[in-house]
Amino acid sequence: MLGIESSCDDTAAAVVTSDGRVLGEAIAGQAAIHAPYGGVHPALASQAHAAAIDRVVADALSRAGLSQHDLSAVAVTVGPGLSLCLDVGVRKARAVSRAAALPLVPVHHMEAHTLVARLAGLAAHAASGGDGGGVLRDGEPAPAFPFLCLLVSGGHNLLVVVRGVGDYLQLGSTLDDALGEAYDKVARMLGLELNPHGGAALEAAARLGDASRYALSVPMQKHANCDFSFAGLKTGVRLCIESELPPEGDPGRQQAVADIAASFQSVATQHLCQRVRRGIGWARDSLQGGSSAGSGGSSNSSSSSSSSSDGGSGSGLDGSAAALRHLVVAGGVASNQYIRQQLAQVAEAAGLQLVVPPARWCTDNGVMVAWAGIERYRLGLYQPPLGPLQLAAGEEQEWVDLRPRWPLTAEKHGGSTPQVRSSKAASSMARSLTDETRDALATLGSAAAGEAEEATRLAGGGAGAERQWASTKTAAGEAGVGAASCL
Ligand code: KG4
Ligand code: ZN
């Protein structure tokens, strides 16, 4: 599977096999281009993707020692992301698919971040990468469904129960900034290097700092749910900088920068850990058939009084709740070693195993898109290649849609903060991945059932007809005549 990613500021591609071997990968980052703007500049990002995409895909293929004609399929991120950027990757994927008559797998960016934790052989990859990833030991199986996933990137901050491919229950989301965005903004306020991201620079500064020197408040203490908020913490950091940071040239400035970075990181991580601890309880309740999983956050039932909602060690859980064995942390911020260590303790206390992809597959990359593509392809969730007639009729444009705004799921835990969305915003929101996947699987299931029914009808129906049809087909085959003429 060739995977192509261009949703934000990394142009990436990789070739991955269904047994998890990464045959070749390539990436072109754009951090230097965007650094002066304090965020991703969409038009410049799109131009940079366009300039890089052919080379990145060619490099991934040549490192794999393959040509596009050796591939089985192409997966591409179709959303969420910047449409000008997504468009570049999708055009390239269409072109490869057309040239080699390959099926195309549309991929949700956040699902790719999530599912890469299931890449076969992840532990071995982490060990060979030597970047401290892979809390799984070599030989341990990848997380099976269901698992709890904390998705922390520059644009998203979600806590979800992953019940299957394209099947998510949202326990919590951010009410304002995503944690990666907060890291980037705080790094900027502290005057740290923003290349490749503010996050890594802030983590490095925090390593030299004293987290207890400045008191910042842990967000949302009055909200006993799993939602996140980083806007107040960011303001706290700004006020702290204004009142406490010595001026440029002052010998104490560097240490103060490190101390503020450490305080921010410590408080942000306490917030994450608190939400995840509660989320483990909520996840177990929802898997146990608890009443608090609701659609659209309308039922405001609280699960805080129920048996496992404290994220305890899992004793007394019934079979379905005990099936929850892993906490996956994914997205760019998951490459942060301090956050990993703290969440490892939360997971251990609750009897879960923490799984974090190697750092290079936490930030945007082609491997995660290829692997999500493999998971979806296995279920039949792909577009077959267009035939010459469809190409001639100009159907290529509608073949794979871009989804700049594409929620993972509309199914929210009943305890989440109700979201007030304007009707305009709500109507511009695409259907969720979870709803679409459910419908697509139902259609595929009924198509398969239809085929079986047709087979039964041809065989004359009745008990044992399927076996009869199979043996008739064999007999027909041996006799060199078609099954239909035989019946
Ligand atoms: O997943 P990603 O590559 O892109 C998005 O989909 O957003 O995540 C990028 C985000 C940036 O905000 C970056 O600052 C953050 O991940 N990040 C980090 C670290 N490395 C990257 N945040 C904290 N600590 C890090 N070590
Ligand atoms: Zn991402």
Side-chain angles (χ1 to χ4, degrees), residues 109 113 153 364 368:
H109 183 77
H113 273 304
S153 71
D364 292 350
M368 68 181 195

Side-chain angles (χ1 to χ4, degrees), residues 114-131:
T114 307
L115 293 184
V116 75
R118 283 168 45 84
L119 179 80
L122 185 74
H125 284 299
S128 67
D131 62 7

